[in-house]
Each structure stands twice: as C-alpha cells, then as structure tokens.
Amino acid sequence: MGVTEIGWLRSFARRLALTAILVAVTTVVQARTFQISDIRVEGLQRIAAGTVFNLLPVKIGDTTTDEVTAAIIRTLYGSGFFDDVSVERDGSVLVIAVRERPAVAEIVITGNKDIDEEKLREGLKEIGMAEGRVFNPSVLDRIEQELRNQYYARGKYGVDVQSTVSPLERNRVRVTISIVEGVTARIKQINIIGNEDFEEKELLAPFKLGETKWHSFYSKNDQYSKQKLAGDLEALRSFYLDRGYIQFEIKSTQVSISADKKDIYITVGIAEGDVFSVSDIQLAGEPSVPAEQLFPLIQIRRGEPFSRKATTESAERISNLLADRGYAFANVNTIPEIDEERQQVSVIFFVDPGKRVYVRRVNMKGNTKTRDEVLRREMRQVEAAWFSSELVRKSRERLQRLGYFEDVTIETPAVPGSADQVDVNVTVKEKPSGNLLAGVGFSQSQGIIFNTSVSQNNFLGTGKRISFAFNNSRSNRLYQLAYTNPYYTIDGISRGFELSYRETDFAELSSADYLTDVGVAGFTFGLPITDTSRAGLGLRYQYTNFDAGFSALAQDFVVKNGDNFNDFILTASYTNDSRDTALFPTKGSLQSLLAEVAIPGSDLQYYRITYRHRHYIPLTRRFTFSLRADLGYGDGIGDTDALPFFENFFAGGPRSVRGWEENTLGPRETTFDQDPVGGNVKINGSIELFAPPPIGGTFENSLRLGAFFDFGNVWATADSNDLVAPEGFSLGDLRY
C-alpha cells in the first residue's frame, strides 16, 4: 500500500470519529432539549399547585434547555417555600419534585419584660416570622440580631437571646425565643481630657447623658445612646464655638463597658485652641432692605469673642425680616474670614433675597366637617398679597386657638414653573367639637353629681357655639342654654345669648347655710381689637330668690334688703389670648378683665371687677413654666352698702388654692358654726411646672403632669356688720 493510500485512510478515520462524536452530542442534546407537553409537580403538601405554576418561568409548549432548567430551580428556591427542588423528564412531561419548608405552628416568647410582647410579635411579623408562615432559618438569625440591637439601644448589653426550633407533626415547627434581658448598663463616668480654660463640670452641664442622679428614673440620662452622645458632642462643640474657640476640635471619643456589662465609661479628648475675636462686620449681596434696618438685627460686636450661635441667630433674624417683606426664598450666608496670626475673625453676611414672592392660592385640606370660610376668616395671610412668614405663623396660631383641630400644619411650596409665586397649603386634623354627655360623678364639695349636656363648639361646621346643660348635685341644680356666633359680622364682631337657671345650697359648699335661686337672660357683643385681643359688652337680667335658711348673716340681709331681687347688670370685658394652642399651651399668655355693674333701676346696686392672667414660658422642649394670677374686688353702690354677700368671692379647693377644702378660706360668721362666707377681695395665684407623662406615646397630646405651688385668700374689707369676723386686708393672711 502506498503512502498516499495510507494518508487517505487516516483522514477517513478522523472524519468517521468526528462524525460519531457529533452524532453522540446531538443525541444527548436531543435528550435534554424537548418540547413540554405537560408539567407535573410532586411533593406538595400545603402549597397549592397553582402557586407553583404561577412562579414557573415556563409553560406547556415551551422547549426546555439547561438555562430554562436552571431558571426553574432558581425561581422556586427564591420563593422561600422549598428546601429542595429537582427537575426531571418523563417522556415529554416536565417533572418538578419539591420538598416544602416546614410551617410555623407556634411562636413562644419568654423572658421579655422591657419590650411589650404584642409589639414584639408585630415586629416579628414585619420581618417575616409569624404563625402560619413558612419557616426560614435565615429570618430567625436576623430576628436574634435585631432583638439584641433593640436591647442594646435600651442599655441592656448583657442580654442573651436564644432560639430553638422544635419539629411537629405534619411538617410544622414550634419556634421558641428565650430572652434573658439582664440589667440596664448605667453610665458610671464621663471624662473630658484636654480642657484647660473650663472646668469639666461646666462642660458637662449641657450634656443629656450623665451619671445616675435622683431624676434618672424619669430622664433616663444615665442610659447610654449613640444618638444622645452625638448630640452631646455637638453641644460641647457649640459651647466652645460660641465663646470664640473656632479651632476647637474633638480628637477622640471612647466608650467602654465593664466586664460585667453593668457600667459604661465615656472619655472625650479635645483640643481647645485659641480665642478669636470679631474684627469686622460687613453686609454683602443685594439685601433689598436698607442696611440701617438690618444692622440692628446683628447681635455680634466688634472686639467681642466670635460666637457661632449669635452669628447664626443674626442671619436668621435677617432672613425672617426679608421673609416678612415678601422674600420667601431669601438666603443669608455667613462667611467668616479668619486671621490666624491676629486671632481675629471678619464676619460677612451675604444676603441673597431672591425674587419677591406673592401668594397664588390658599388651599384648605382635612376640614371634612368645618366649612372653608371658618378657616379662611382666621387666615392673616391672604391670596394675591405679598408672602409674609409672620402672617403665616399668626394664621396657624389663630387656627390652633379655635379648639376645633388636633393639629394644624401650613406648607408654602413654590408654584411649579414660577419663581415669584407660592401656595399656602393649610392641613388640619379635626377633633370632635361636639359633646353629648350624660354621667354620674363625685366632687369633694358637691357630692354625687348627675349631669347631662349637649354642646357643639363648631355647630354644623359654621364655627358657632351652641350648648344646653343640666347639672344636678347635692349643692347645685343648673339649667343652661347658650349660643354664640363668633362672626356675627364679617369684621369679627361676635354676638351671644344665654338663658340659665341655677339653684344653689351654699350649706353644701362648705359655706353659710342659705339658698339662692338665680335666673339669667342676657346677651353679649365682642369686638376684635388686635389679632389676639377682644373687647366685650353685655347686658343681662338677673332674678334672685333668696332663702336665708339658718344663717344669721343671711337673715340679717333679708331684713334689710328683702328676699327677691330684679337686677340689670352691665358687663364690660377685655381678653387677650396669645397662647400657641388652646390645649396644653407651651408659650404665650391668656388674660381677661371683667367688670360687672348692677345699673340704676336694679333692686341691688353693686359692682365686681375680676382679672385673670395665665402666662406660659417654655423652659425646654419638654418642660413649661406657668404663672397664674386671679384677682377680684367688689363693693356696693348707692343704697347698697356693700357687695351682697352671696356675690362674694371664695377661695380654697382644686380651682384656687389646692390643698385646702373648697371655699373654706377667708372670713367666717361669728355664730357657733363659724361658716365661711367669702369676701369682697380675692387674691389667688400659682406657680407651676408642666411636663409630658413619662409613659409617652399617645398620652403626650392628652395628658401632662404638673408640680404646683398655690397661694391665695379672700378678705372682707367693706363695712358689713358684726355677724362676720372682721378681717382687714393683709398679704400676711395669704395661705399656701
């Protein structure tokens, strides 16, 4: 055989082998690739077959490939329903075999005291662990870590969280989470190193964190929090920057915990630097307001130490002034130019007022019951006028003082596509403004009280006030019908009417033993003076039927004046309400002055003047300081020698001087019983400190705590008779 023949044979053999390989590969590919005539799912117990079919990335009639098979397995695993997934072929039928993950039959939580179990279960459900759901071991690991983080945030660093999974019948499991909370770690010590010009005690004063004090059970100041520490470090930085130390720096912060995880130690390293003083103050930019109006708003002075706080507040005052003049988007930047050699700072206030802005629309939202006009008549910022942040603030306060809304928010977004227009969007959250009351109560002075009333402060959403009341107790029986329209005229003049009848047994009110029946019919008008003040004028007819009972003072009065009186009483009033809200105010004041005069033609002629003032001062975000004064004076006119004693002022009890029995302070009868009879002069007052309840949550808007110091008394200064123990006016008689 020649060489040529041998070469041809070798080439033929190679082609034959290659052909065999291709045939084999084609056979395998054909075996793996086929058109699906049906899909069968095996191994399902709880999960419906339809759920699996919805997850599958293929359907009957599709052709399978390796990529399709991988996608099927990946998709079913990703659903979290299965522990194992395999794909097989039975002829042209795609067979998917699965093994379901167990279901959570029960979750048992033990040892949790600091975290409410209901909230804990809600948190578990949000993460994906709840009874009836598919059990996922990775979710359980996340739960353990999240629980530890929750307890760390509460200062319990010794917490131990263990979880166990117990198998049950029908492919179910019980998950048990055991918590050993441990004790709360307390801050043992806070040290500041590197301070030379200030004592550590002075630097730590503004810190919210600190060592355990008597008030720590309430303030939680000894419980470490990363967020609180960050705030305290910023307060420390502000302390130095407000005193001219512009190169102040916090070098390090170390937080360590003791081996028993009960004590925390915090060390802060600082570098104070030098004090820089203000060398120059300049205004730059285009203020649009004369400089002589802006410079008085700047509260830093040349030669004084630089203060970041004073500089920032000065910029805010300039910005607020511009906002009140219509420049809603004014921007005031402070640029300090530092001269390190001379240790001086030149402060430049760069003013960019932007375009003057006016209001396109005032939009109301959330007032489903209250009519738009009720809100709009309180608005001081009106449409088509220049924008004023001060008028927006006043509008919000007036809406809050109505008492119709739980919350009032005002936003001023720019109008899209316009550089000089804004909308004023007012959003209110209405609260029930009407009451239908029927109840039984108990008062320390009036005994068991039966009362019923129907009142509507916002009748049919019109802002009008209507009320009907019936009260029945051991000392009082009252029927009252009242109506007030706060906007009788478009200018805000109010008009009100009142009809009432009251029977009072003063013997049941810790007072002298006599009775009065008083019927009243009257009307009042109110005139707005400013945004916060009103003047009022009214006239009422008052019928009084008098029963002297066993009181010698009352019997003497009947002998001199009779026991039935028809009086016409003219009233004049002034009120000023600048509180930030009607419920639980934190700043502002409420004061009222009321003068009542029984005019000529009345059976009794007298006058009474009362003045009440309540002032609120915010001390911190949580604490409010309050001062209250309640003064009164009355006397007779013409033929009436003195203020009728049944019109006297009283003091003592929960609404005046707490800690004293109601109405027991002041002059008394000289008879055996020595019953209190009140006086024609009254001075009451209190000093109070308010704080939200420590439990927080929803109670913050409906409850607050107060510590108070009350003082007051009443005196009889007019010459009445020998039946009243003489008590001339003296502040030494004040009771506390």
Side-chain angles (χ1 to χ4, degrees), residues 46 101-106 132-135 171-174:
R46 298 181 317 278
R101 284 181 173 172
V104 178
E106 184 181 6
R133 290 192 179 183
V134 174
F135 173 71
N171 196 25
R172 299 181 304 156
V173 294
R174 178 191 297 114

Side-chain angles (χ1 to χ4, degrees), residues 2-19:
V3 175
T4 302
E5 292 176 345
I6 294 173
W8 179 85
L9 288 172
R10 288 177 177 174
S11 176
F12 177 77
R14 282 197 297 269
R15 286 196 297 271
L16 186 61
L18 180 60
T19 301

Side-chain angles (χ1 to χ4, degrees), residues 360-377:
R360 183 184 68 165
R361 294 193 188 98
V362 176
N363 303 311
M364 303 298 174
K365 183 180 178 182
N367 53 315
T368 57
K369 299 177 182 177
T370 307
R371 298 180 185 178
D372 262 23
E373 64 175 308
V374 175
L375 280 73
R376 291 185 181 277
R377 66 195 184 193

Side-chain angles (χ1 to χ4, degrees), residues 465-467 480-485 488 494-500 520-525 539-540:
R465 294 187 289 272
I466 297 177
S467 66
Q480 185 180 46
L481 176 65
Y483 164 85
T484 302
N485 183 355
Y488 174 61
S494 64
R495 182 180 68 173
F497 300 96
E498 178 189 2
L499 291 173
S500 67
V520 172
F523 64 89
T524 58
F525 286 93
L539 180 66
R540 73 173 185 263

Side-chain angles (χ1 to χ4, degrees), residues 627-643:
L627 297 171
R628 176 180 64 86
D630 189 355
L631 312 176
Y633 181 79
D635 203 352
I637 305 175
D639 295 335
T640 306
D641 296 334
L643 180 70

